[in-house]
Amino acid sequence: MTIEKAGEMLRKGEITSVELTSAYLKNITEKNKELNSFLEVFSDSLEQAKRADGRIKNGEAGGLTGIPIAIKDNILIQGRTASAASKILENYVASYDAYVIKKLKDAGAVIIGRTNMDEFAMGSSTQTSAYGVTRNPYDKNRVPGGSSGGSAVAVASDMALVALGTETCGSVRQPASFCGLVGLKPTYGRVSRNGIIAMGNSLDQVSPFGKTVKDVETVFNVIQGKDEMDATSIVPHLEEEGAGGGNVIGIPWHLFDSGVDKEVMDNFKESVEKLKNAGYKIVDIDLPYSKYSLATYYIIMPAEVSTNLSRFDGVRYGLRKEGENVSDVYKKTRSAGFGAETKRRIILGTFILSHGYYDAYYNKAWRVRNAIKEEFQNIFKKVDFIMTPTTPTPAFKIGEKLDDPVAMYLCDIFSAPANLTGIPAIALPSGFTSGGLPLSVQFMAKHFGENDLFLIGKKFEETR
Ligand code: GLN
């Protein structure tokens, strides 16, 4: 089912949102126990659906009215728990709606539950959640990717029609790739971060999952927009926005040297051929600084993480462990509340920002980040798109890479540039491995080039 199809049936009266929502709730009852995609299913889902049906009857329906959507657990919904899959926020209830939630409610979407994720969005496999791993519906012994793994699985196994995740570095594109879905990382600033539990402020962006490019486009159009409550929220400069119809694709082959799985590579080459046949012009490009993307990301992100997570101290909200004095309360609360990966990043980030190292690491990383940005701006004078595999491997086994953080970090190798530079990127299903695991390619475009990505995405869908 797609939004397009469901929307048509809803408007024609062939189905009600109550019926549609009930079907998804039934799937949740049947599948969620094993897959662990939802941390909570909202008991008022059918009431929301009833209200949506009222709007549809009155002719007040928009594209998302009556559509069941799942929400990652780091996006605030007023009156609901938002735990970011951490123990430290186990009992935290949001006191307001995130901007994107307000938009969804205004549109009449049915918010059916909150989904599992890596703790505070740190991870690529949804295994660092304090609430258990989420399983990949294509092979239950494998991870769904992360950090928005719960949202990806919800859509991939028909427990929601579409879902929201967040990206700091690939957390929607990578699980979209592992679960056979479309995932869009919008231009930094196009979707408000107000009401998102921050990981890396200069990188975070709410990002939708769907089964088709059109569905992702529909959700994006509802949630994007200027928000006074987020100082980094921007109105797109229309003159810079893609004119549409560009057909030059650049491929940075040199970035694939290290460790791309053979089946991923073969599939990527096949996808390139299909695009050639569809009339696209393929050129080789050089992005010499981009090989430092991952190193840069793993300095800037932990620095921002250590700052953002200092607010979880047992004083204002969240878990609290009593101690002998203030510092003892902090220590006991944070030791008990955070998981190992979160602690690792807080420690790394605190070191990076400490006296004597700030210049050597943090400032240097920002200079490299700017060099990467410039490199991309220059390349986009010559090409309309940059194409890479979305991930270097298909979904890996549960437990794999858990003891080797660097191997886990390497999952982000093709994701990092778009988050560091702020450009939009889309992950698209491109086939399956011989063992039946989904494969994916990614396209990046210049700032505000979402429409170009939707265009090429639809073209690519036609070649499948
Ligand atoms: N794999 C990335 C990380 O571990 C995911 C971050 C994200 O996009 N939330 O940092």
Side-chain angles (χ1 to χ4, degrees):
M1 184 60 91
T2 61
I3 295 180
E4 230 181 330
K5 206 162 141 200
E8 203 186 301
M9 291 174 79
L10 285 168
R11 280 185 298 274
K12 282 190 184 157
E14 293 168 6
I15 191 179
T16 63
S17 173
V18 167
E19 287 166 343
L20 185 68
T21 305
S22 303
Y24 285 97
L25 291 173
K26 186 165 168 263
N27 283 343
I28 295 175
T29 311
E30 281 165 14
K31 300 178 186 176
N32 193 53
K33 216 173 167 179
E34 188 179 19
L35 297 174
N36 197 28
S37 148
F38 283 91
L39 293 177
E40 183 183 354
V41 181
F42 299 145
S43 54
D44 71 341
S45 298
L46 288 175
E47 279 151 51
Q48 294 180 53
K50 222 181 246 164
R51 283 199 295 277
D53 281 330
R55 284 177 63 161
I56 295 167
K57 245 199 201 139
N58 295 336
E60 295 159 7
L64 278 186
T65 312
I67 301 294
I69 184 167
I71 306 293
K72 188 177 180 180
D73 192 33
N74 60 351
I75 301 177
L76 305 193
I77 308 172
Q78 190 173 13
R80 304 270 183 210
T81 303
S83 77
S86 180
K87 273 228 147 9
I88 211 160
L89 287 177
E90 194 167 13
N91 298 317
Y92 171 68
V93 175
S95 54
Y96 66 99
D97 277 331
Y99 177 85
V100 293
I101 296 298
K102 271 190 216 138
K103 289 282 197 164
L104 290 177
K105 286 184 175 173
D106 287 349
V110 178
I111 299 174
I112 57 172
R114 58 185 176 96
T115 57
N116 202 13
M117 55 185 279
D118 281 298
E119 185 183 20
F120 285 105
M122 300 175 199
S124 303
S125 62
T126 316
Q127 294 178 100
T128 70
S129 165
Y131 307 103
V133 305
T134 297
R135 291 173 185 275
N136 189 318
Y138 285 89
D139 175 348
K140 292 180 185 115
N141 295 316
R142 290 178 190 265
V143 304
S147 62
S148 317
S151 284
V153 171
V155 179
S157 53
D158 295 320
M159 296 191 278
L161 213 165
V162 281
L164 290 188
T166 61
E167 275 232 10
T168 306
C169 183
S171 272
V172 162
R173 282 168 289 157
Q174 190 251 15
S177 160
F178 284 10
C179 295
L181 300 173
V182 178
L184 171 79
K185 198 290 280 183
T187 305
Y188 181 78
R190 271 202 91 164
V191 183
S192 169
R193 292 180 296 109
N194 178 243
I196 309 306
I197 299 176
M199 179 180 166
N201 312 47
S202 75
L203 302 150
D204 296 344
Q205 199 59 193
V206 177
S207 306
F209 286 102
K211 288 217 167 103
T212 62
V213 173
K214 181 88 184 113
D215 279 3
V216 163
E217 182 180 6
T218 304
V219 177
F220 169 71
N221 283 333
V222 167
I223 62 172
Q224 61 95 32
K226 169 83 182 158
D227 174 18
E228 294 304 325
M229 298 296 283
D230 174 359
T232 60
S233 150
I234 38 172
V235 182
H237 312 310
L238 287 171
E239 71 276 11
E240 283 179 38
E241 205 162 352
N247 73 337
V248 184
I249 301 173
I251 302 184
W253 292 102
H254 66 100
L255 289 180
F256 313 158
D257 287 349
S258 53
V260 176
D261 175 272
K262 178 156 186 322
E263 282 193 276
V264 171
M265 205 61 227
D266 290 347
N267 173 268
F268 179 74
K269 287 178 182 159
E270 266 168 42
S271 304
V272 172
E273 281 310 308
K274 283 182 185 164
L275 287 157
K276 253 190 215 163
N277 295 336
Y280 285 90
K281 195 177 158 209
I282 312 289
V283 298
D284 290 1
I285 53 169
D286 235 348
L287 295 167
Y289 281 112
S290 291
K291 63 171 177 289
Y292 302 116
S293 295
L294 212 53
T296 307
Y297 170 72
Y298 274 96
I299 289 175
I300 291 173
M301 173 274 297
E304 294 185 5
V305 160
S306 81
T307 309
N308 277 323
L309 269 54
S310 65
R311 68 183 61 133
F312 304 113
D313 56 8
V315 176
R316 277 164 291 186
Y317 44 77
L319 181 79
R320 178 186 176 92
K321 294 275 178 212
E322 293 305 332
E324 280 160 27
N325 49 45
V326 174
S327 136
D328 199 38
V329 170
Y330 288 170
K331 264 191 217 159
K332 287 190 172 133
T333 300
R334 288 165 70 82
S335 298
F338 291 133
E341 182 60 26
T342 302
K343 284 177 187 155
R344 175 168 19 244
R345 297 193 192 199
I346 292 172
I347 292 168
L348 271 172
T350 307
F351 173 76
I352 287 161
L353 292 177
S354 62
H355 183 71
Y357 295 102
Y358 189 97
D359 246 349
Y361 293 107
Y362 189 67
N363 281 343
K364 182 127 185 208
W366 265 93
R367 287 202 293 276
V368 179
R369 183 179 190 175
N370 286 333
I372 298 170
K373 255 190 208 163
E374 226 177 275
E375 175 169 285
F376 272 74
Q377 270 159 3
N378 287 332
I379 265 314
F380 280 123
K381 289 177 189 152
K382 295 183 198 127
V383 303
D384 303 297
F385 303 101
I386 297 172
M387 182 181 176
T388 70
T390 306
T391 53
T393 67
F396 46 88
K397 293 235 166 79
I398 288 174
E400 207 182 308
K401 300 187 207 283
L402 258 191
D403 307 329
D404 186 352
V406 175
M408 190 70 90
Y409 298 169
L410 281 171
C411 296
D412 304 328
I413 192 143
F414 300 128
S415 316
N419 300 84
L420 287 172
T421 59
I423 59 172
I426 197 165
L428 300 168
S430 60
F432 293 90
T433 64
S434 49
L437 297 174
L439 293 166
S440 169
V441 297
Q442 115 168 303
F443 294 97
M444 294 174 256
K446 56 178 174 266
H447 290 100
F448 312 117
E450 280 85 355
N451 284 339
D452 282 351
L453 293 178
F454 298 143
L455 278 172
I456 196 169
K458 288 172 196 166
K459 281 263 170 66
F460 188 70
E461 277 176 343
E462 284 166 19
T463 70
R464 264 190 292 147

